[in-house]
Amino acid sequence: GGAGGAPGELLFQAWAPSLGFSTFEVKQRSPGDTWDPFRWPLGTPQDPPRWPSGEPETQIENEHLRVRFCPITGHLLEIQNLAKGISLPVFQSFYWYKASAGDGFSPQASGAYIFRPNTSTPIPVAKRAATHLLKTALVQEVRQNFSQWCSQVLRLRPGQPYLELEWTVGPIPVGDGLGKEVISRFETPLRTAGRFYTDSNGRQVLERSTPAPRPTLLTPVPPGQDQKVQLTVLTDRSQGGSSLLDGSLELMVHRRLLHDDNRGLGEALNEPGADGRGLVVRGRHLVLLDTVEASPEQHRPRAQELVTPPTVVLAPGTGPHLRQVS
């Protein structure tokens, strides 16, 4: 969507050998050919599940995970690890902190180097999301639209042991004169006693703790699950984050500020972008749910894959003579 947005999306299963490449050719079919993008599974003339139109279809799943959504608000509701028999209520939504422009306590404004909100309670981008469910042989996904400037696709592919959340945020509106710092926040009933862990700047996994124990209204882990459960969120870039309430995790995804923080940059963090409307940012969070013992062998290789993905090269013409090289 958006300016110059494509009318459709081409999805196919690709594979490349290690230290090598694979070539795929895409051709436009002749105008006489008809193609129904909503045929599901591919090759069977079956209507896709429409949701949330009162039908019970409020989930996506593959052989590893089942992911449930709230039929009323469209938010993420629960993740189930089918092999381990673990289920965890997980709520996720987007919020923004109102940036401080300086006040009587301190003239310090929020800016490129300083994160200083004027309240510790962020504001929801939206109370509910408009949703669209898509199920094909290659992907099952829920598309959430929170506002004109905030949307997300939650995606499961066959064989994928994690939930992918691809978020698109921006241009952040500042017509109200308020700088905004946008976060994605996950909330669970896990009793974490103020502790969480980060793998930061190559320092490996470090224990972090919130400044002081805080009271929490989150319920304990459901009965019957005596094994310790770990929720892991992998990022595709460096992001500021914290756990400010037990069982919650928030990551900053975008910010747009109207005052200089007086740390040497000499301008506000307010990039207009090519069209003058502000920057749009798109990224991915991968969410893993497993036992504490089994989580590292999942998140270590996934983190490497996320940092060093295959490079996609597009070119007109027939492509190289060699279709695959290792």
Side-chain angles (χ1 to χ4, degrees):
E9 194 174 63
L10 176 67
L11 198 63
F12 61 93
Q13 185 77 42
W15 175 83
S18 53
L19 298 177
F21 68 79
S22 295
T23 309
F24 304 91
E25 194 170 3
V26 178
K27 288 179 179 171
Q28 181 136 18
R29 293 168 69 160
S30 60
D33 293 342
T34 57
W35 175 68
D36 177 5
F38 292 112
R39 195 165 282 186
W40 169 77
L42 297 178
T44 60
Q46 189 178 346
D47 288 334
R50 284 181 301 280
W51 172 77
S53 59
E55 295 178 22
E57 177 67 81
T58 57
Q59 63 188 37
I60 54 175
E61 69 175 283
N62 63 9
E63 64 269 45
H64 296 289
L65 298 175
R66 179 182 295 129
V67 182
R68 295 177 52 234
F69 294 84
C70 174
I72 295 150
T73 67
H75 283 108
L76 176 63
L77 199 64
E78 183 184 54
I79 301 175
Q80 299 174 10
N81 180 323
L82 300 174
K84 300 285 176 74
I86 300 169
S87 70
L88 183 69
V90 183
F91 174 87
Q92 182 274 336
S93 196
F94 294 92
Y95 302 81
W96 58 275
Y97 287 102
K98 204 182 289 185
S100 176
D103 53 27
F105 179 71
S106 163
Q108 180 65 61
S110 204
Y113 295 96
I114 303 291
F115 168 48
R116 187 183 181 220
N118 70 4
T119 168
S120 57
T121 307
I123 297 155
V125 170
K127 295 279 200 303
R128 58 178 295 167
T131 56
H132 177 73
L133 177 70
L134 176 70
K135 290 191 175 186
T136 74
L138 290 178
V139 73
Q140 294 193 8
E141 64 186 33
V142 170
R143 301 174 180 184
Q144 298 172 322
N145 192 31
F146 292 92
S147 75
Q148 281 186 309
W149 56 274
C150 181
S151 64
Q152 183 169 249
V153 181
L154 296 96
R155 198 177 277 129
L156 283 177
R157 294 184 185 86
Q160 177 181 297
Y162 53 83
L163 174 65
E164 176 186 324
L165 296 86
E166 186 178 50
W167 45 268
T168 305
V169 177
I172 296 174
V174 288
D176 54 6
L178 299 171
K180 298 176 181 66
E181 323 209 37
V182 183
I183 59 163
S184 170
R185 188 167 77 189
F186 299 83
E187 298 169 31
T188 77
L190 292 174
R191 291 169 295 193
T192 50
R195 289 195 300 271
F196 65 106
Y197 298 83
T198 63
D199 186 350
S200 177
N201 293 339
R203 294 172 186 268
Q204 302 197 9
V205 176
L206 292 176
E207 182 180 303
R208 311 280 188 171
S209 58
T210 47
R214 298 164 184 245
T216 173
L217 301 175
L218 296 169
T219 54
V221 173
Q225 288 184 194
D226 49 7
Q227 55 201 34
K228 286 195 173 175
V229 170
Q230 178 170 325
L231 185 81
T232 309
V233 181
L234 298 171
T235 63
D236 63 352
R237 66 202 69 193
S238 294
Q239 286 175 338
S242 191
S243 174
L244 300 177
L245 285 169
D246 255 22
S248 89
L249 182 68
E250 63 184 63
L251 294 158
M252 191 177 291
V253 293
H254 199 3
R255 51 207 300 254
R256 187 177 186 183
L257 305 169
L258 303 177
H259 298 272
D260 181 29
D261 58 4
N262 234 359
R263 300 287 158 161
L265 188 62
E267 61 181 89
L269 192 69
N270 183 14
E271 295 285 344
D275 62 0
R277 294 173 56 228
L279 300 185
V280 180
V281 185
R282 174 173 288 171
R284 297 192 303 149
H285 288 146
L286 306 188
V287 177
L288 296 162
L289 175 66
D290 213 323
T291 61
V292 171
E293 296 75 29
S295 288
E297 65 191 70
Q298 285 288 337
H299 73 69
R300 289 249 177 232
R302 303 268 165 232
Q304 296 299 328
E305 287 172 16
L306 208 50
V307 170
T308 55
T311 301
V312 177
V313 180
L314 299 173
T318 55
H321 175 63
L322 285 167
R323 308 311 276 179
Q324 196 171 71
V325 170
S326 174

